[in-house]
Amino acid sequence: MNILAAGYGAALDHPIVGTSHSWSQNSDTMTDSPVLENEDKPSLKMSGLYRLQRVSTTDFDPSDRFDAWRETAYSIADLEVPADDEAELFGTKYAVRGAIGNFACHAGSLHRTVVSRATRLSGALDAIIISLMAEGCVGLESPGGEQPITPTGRLVAYDATKAMRYHWSVGKEIYIVLPRAKALEAFGGELPGLVLPLDTIPLGVMVRDHMAALDRHAEHLDLKEMAIALDALHTLALLLLQRIGRGLSDWEQPDPNALFLAAKRYIRANYNVFDLSPEAIALAVGCSRATLYRAFTQNDTTIMDTVRDIRLAMSRRLIEADTGRSISVIAYDCGFKDASSFGKLFRSRFGVSPGAWRGKFS
């Protein structure tokens, strides 16, 4: 994803841009969606606490789908019109409003969101977002040119009032919306940078797993179950911000085991990238290369050995699945630059050649 394809200055006429998630301190509802006059139309307007409501682009007629989806799912953000060469817009979204904050999920096609200066200054974006990219990635573009990318599996926090533009790939984001004042009180001040990695300590991994679990089971929970689960998640999220904030103020090093797990998740999501380097992995998990080396050393392995092992494991699965692809194509798809070196590594790891292994399953 080239997040500079359009350029920051080309983002409509708005000099300040941001995210589509919002929390209004003057209202107890999530304002991702406006109130629609026709109750038969889908809406994300919350009818009460802990009730899940869902909307999809397929709920709208194709002739006015883009405008209807933009009005329904992006009442604060301005959803940009897709480029001519981009796939047709598709999206699903659900939201649950809790006593402490909101929980939501958006899945869909590649898109970009822009927020006007007037909206930002109005306070309508007064929120801290805790975001999990369950699938795909998001690129953040600031006026100063900073361009961090949040990859699949990362748990991060960002301040919705900061000026930036979001470039969403095809994918799925699970997120928590917290009132900014409450979140920053827990953190102990302003969030540093554009994004703050949160899964570098064990509690962050726990919050990430709870978010993924709630996403899987949300539609099957009754109101009481949802209330308990959501309040617990929001309480954990605030505790996580407090813990991360205290760690930064005390200049604590990130937990090496949490860094190791975060790095392995990133490698599994990007094993097919040829130039997957220690520098790129360290940048993705929010630490220095030296810190990441130490985290892997403490787990009795190295970064590139882990990359190799994950690639080999994935290649073996593809061979066993009998997808019809040649060995050389499988090697390429798993991040190996040539079939010869892949064959030697495969034989060294599993004791047989890739072709011989395929013969066991054909």
Side-chain angles (χ1 to χ4, degrees):
M1 178 177 59
N2 181 5
I3 68 171
L4 296 179
Y8 188 88
L12 302 182
D13 295 323
H14 304 309
I16 300 295
V17 293
T19 176
S20 61
H21 317 304
S22 65
W23 174 277
S24 172
Q25 291 187 338
N26 296 322
S27 169
D28 62 354
T29 62
M30 173 178 278
T31 55
D32 271 336
S33 169
V35 181
L36 300 182
E37 295 180 1
N38 185 348
E39 294 184 355
D40 293 331
K41 292 182 180 180
S43 170
L44 292 180
K45 177 73 175 179
M46 299 292 100
S47 59
L49 289 175
Y50 307 110
R51 297 183 184 276
L52 184 148
Q53 299 220 350
R54 187 184 299 272
V55 67
S56 169
T57 50
T58 58
D59 295 326
F60 305 103
D61 187 88
S63 63
D64 64 351
R65 179 167 293 164
F66 176 82
D67 290 336
W69 180 245
R70 178 164 57 181
E71 291 179 7
T72 304
Y74 296 94
S75 61
I76 295 298
D78 184 8
L79 178 65
E80 289 187 341
V81 177
D84 292 339
D85 59 348
E86 292 177 353
E88 181 181 0
L89 179 70
F90 171 78
T92 61
K93 193 170 189 176
Y94 73 76
V96 183
R97 179 170 58 89
I100 301 174
N102 299 335
F103 179 79
C105 175
H106 176 276
S109 56
L110 181 149
H111 64 287
R112 291 165 297 279
T113 51
V114 179
V115 176
S116 70
R117 178 187 291 272
T119 301
R120 178 174 175 263
L121 296 179
S122 73
L125 297 177
D126 207 17
I128 298 296
I129 312 299
I130 295 181
S131 170
L132 168 63
M133 289 303 301
E135 300 170 15
C137 61
V138 57
L140 286 69
E141 184 184 358
S142 76
E146 190 176 355
Q147 305 156 24
I149 294 178
T150 300
T152 302
R154 284 313 313 264
L155 183 71
V156 301
Y158 54 83
D159 188 336
T161 67
K162 289 186 177 180
M164 65 181 84
R165 186 184 191 206
Y166 291 77
H167 301 250
W168 306 91
S169 76
V170 176
K172 174 180 176 180
E173 182 200 20
I174 306 167
Y175 59 93
I176 297 170
V177 184
L178 294 172
R180 187 170 183 270
K182 184 183 290 290
L184 294 187
E185 179 184 5
F187 185 72
E190 298 288 327
L191 300 187
L194 292 184
V195 292
L196 176 68
L198 297 178
D199 49 7
T200 55
I201 64 172
L203 182 58
V205 177
M206 181 178 177
V207 169
R208 184 205 70 218
D209 292 345
H210 275 232
M211 290 174 66
L214 184 55
D215 173 61
R216 288 195 301 271
H217 302 292
E219 63 182 347
H220 305 295
L221 301 179
D222 62 28
L223 284 181
K224 182 177 181 180
E225 293 166 341
M226 177 62 78
I228 293 173
L230 192 55
D231 286 353
L233 176 59
H234 286 147
T235 300
L236 282 174
L238 289 170
L239 180 61
L240 173 60
L241 289 173
Q242 184 184 63
R243 177 67 181 84
I244 292 285
R246 188 172 70 245
L248 289 176
S249 65
D250 292 341
W251 295 96
E252 293 181 1
Q253 289 293 322
D255 182 89
N257 288 326
L259 276 180
F260 176 70
L261 293 174
K264 286 188 70 174
R265 286 195 306 275
Y266 181 78
I267 294 168
R268 288 194 184 99
N270 296 275
Y271 67 90
N272 59 334
V273 177
F274 288 135
D275 56 352
L276 186 60
S277 64
E279 291 83 1
I281 298 168
L283 179 64
V285 300
C287 70
S288 69
R289 186 176 64 174
T291 298
L292 190 62
Y293 276 130
R294 286 194 294 271
F296 275 76
T297 299
Q298 291 183 33
N299 283 274
D300 298 320
T301 187
T302 69
I303 299 171
M304 296 316 294
D305 281 351
T306 302
V307 171
R308 179 203 62 206
D309 290 345
I310 289 175
R311 285 173 169 169
L312 287 172
M314 294 303 300
S315 67
R316 185 175 70 172
R317 280 189 208 170
L318 289 175
I319 291 172
E320 292 171 358
D322 193 21
T323 61
R325 284 180 280 183
S326 68
I327 296 297
S328 60
V329 169
I330 289 176
Y332 183 86
D333 289 346
C334 291
F336 295 99
K337 293 184 178 180
D338 63 85
S340 176
S341 61
F342 166 66
K344 292 176 182 177
L345 289 170
F346 193 96
R347 182 185 290 275
S348 175
R349 179 69 176 82
F350 301 115
V352 296
S353 69
W357 190 259
R358 167 171 278 174
K360 294 183 179 182
F361 296 91
S362 59

